[in-house]
């Protein structure tokens, strides 16, 4: 069966510091991968998606970037965090050509 | 552009009562529709999905949803709510290249005993 992992679970970072959040998927190959942000009291906003290694599509202009160095690894990064980057970050995967996305447990990021 | 509207931010129901959560969507083609549930501090769990065929779909935990094309709606229902159903519920529409999903703002369900 497939599983999706995210770490860390919680992160507190000062403004201006770098960020690296990791997401890995097990039990499948060639997945589509997604990063979402959930701000308090709001729905989910798609940040990035990837249909293959090195292929990243950005949905919104922002202070963040994403990379996919391996087939089942998706990384969310920032060089300098802003207060507005605080939120709950969710990674998701779907099969290539599949319609259903499955979500990881999320990372709560607090920027102070 | 795709969009999803969940008109109710909060809903409170008594345990054992029936539940209906509303979802309206805007999509240019035949939509793929989803309901997810999120407990506090957790990821999203898929409740059910609609792609085509029978417009009444059954999901996990006793939930069902009905797709009504004429009303652009995909409302979630449960005949008898349990205290463990208290959570936030998200409706989403997707499709196209990359299968991106657009989510509604969510409805927080509170269950009173």
């Amino acid at each position: 069966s497939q599983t999706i992992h995210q770490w860390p679970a919680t992160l507190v970072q000062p403004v201006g510091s770098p960020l690296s959040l990791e997401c890995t998927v097990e039990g499948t190959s060639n997945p589509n991968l997604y990063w979402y942000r959930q701000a308090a009291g709001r729905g989910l906003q798609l940040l990035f998606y990837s249909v293959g290694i090195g292929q990243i599509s950005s949905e919104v202009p922002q202070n963040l970037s994403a990379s996919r160095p391996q087939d089942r690894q998706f990384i969310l990064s920032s060089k300098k965090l802003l207060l507005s980057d605080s939120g709950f970050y969710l990674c998701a995967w779907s099969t290539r050509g599949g319609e259903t996305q499955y979500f990881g447990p999320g990372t709560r990021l607090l920027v102070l | 552009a795709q969009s999803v509207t969940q008109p109710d931010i909060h809903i409170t129901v008594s345990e054992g009562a029936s539940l209906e959560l509303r979802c309206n969507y805007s999509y240019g083609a035949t939509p793929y529709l989803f309901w997810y549930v999120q407990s506090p501090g957790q990821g999203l769990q898929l409740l059910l999905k609609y792609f085509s065929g029978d417009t009444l779909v059954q999901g996990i935990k006793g939930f069902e949803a009905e797709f009504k094309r004429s009303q652009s709606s995909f409302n979630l229902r449960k005949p008898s709510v349990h205290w463990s159903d208290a959570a936030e519920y998200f409706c989403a529409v997707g499709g196209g290249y990359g299968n991106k999903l657009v989510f509604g703002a969510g409805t927080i369900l509170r269950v009173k005993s």
Side-chain angles (χ1 to χ4, degrees):
Chain A
S1 64
Q2 300 86 11
T3 55
I4 178 169
H5 304 279
Q6 288 186 245
W7 63 89
T10 305
L11 191 60
V12 181
Q13 292 285 93
V15 169
S17 63
L19 173 73
S20 180
L21 303 181
E22 188 165 344
C23 170
T24 58
V25 181
E26 296 177 354
T28 188
S29 297
N30 304 314
N32 287 349
L33 296 171
Y34 309 84
W35 277 112
Y36 291 87
R37 177 168 56 204
Q38 186 178 23
R42 301 179 64 178
L44 280 75
Q45 180 185 38
L46 179 63
L47 302 176
F48 301 95
Y49 70 96
S50 171
V51 299
I53 296 174
Q55 301 179 59
I56 309 295
S57 297
S58 174
E59 288 296 292
V60 293
Q62 60 205 315
N63 184 42
L64 301 168
S65 62
S67 61
R68 185 170 176 174
Q70 301 179 43
D71 181 46
R72 291 169 291 176
Q73 184 184 32
F74 205 24
I75 296 172
L76 185 68
S77 304
S78 174
K79 294 181 179 179
K80 290 185 178 181
L81 283 169
L82 307 172
L83 288 173
S84 58
D85 291 324
S86 293
F88 192 51
Y89 289 83
L90 288 156
C91 181
W93 73 275
S94 70
T95 58
R96 189 66 54 82
E99 300 83 8
T100 304
Q101 292 185 23
Y102 301 94
F103 285 79
T107 294
R108 184 160 304 282
L109 172 65
L110 179 60
V111 182
L112 300 176
Chain B
Q2 303 171 40
S3 66
V4 177
T5 301
Q6 293 180 247
D8 304 305
I9 299 174
H10 294 92
I11 281 186
T12 299
V13 300
S14 298
E15 190 169 16
S18 63
L19 171 70
E20 183 171 29
L21 302 182
R22 295 181 291 164
C23 172
N24 293 95
Y25 68 89
S26 173
Y27 192 74
T30 301
Y32 299 136
L33 294 160
F34 306 84
W35 276 99
Y36 288 87
V37 62
Q38 184 181 34
S39 297
Q42 304 295 314
L44 273 70
Q45 181 182 23
L46 179 69
L47 283 176
L48 47 79
K49 58 189 176 184
Y50 172 78
F51 294 162
S52 64
D54 192 348
T55 57
L56 184 63
V57 294
Q58 303 297 320
I60 63 172
K61 304 184 179 183
F63 286 92
E64 65 178 27
E66 186 171 12
F67 171 59
K68 293 185 177 179
R69 183 184 299 275
S70 61
Q71 299 177 21
S72 298
S73 69
F74 188 56
N75 293 350
L76 182 71
R77 302 194 294 249
K78 187 170 184 177
S80 177
V81 170
H82 188 263
W83 64 265
S84 60
D85 293 325
E88 189 163 15
Y89 292 80
F90 292 94
C91 181
V93 63
Y97 180 77
N99 186 37
K100 298 176 287 183
L101 292 182
V102 174
F103 283 84
T107 297
I108 296 173
L109 173 64
R110 175 173 166 261
V111 180
K112 60 181 181 180
S113 54

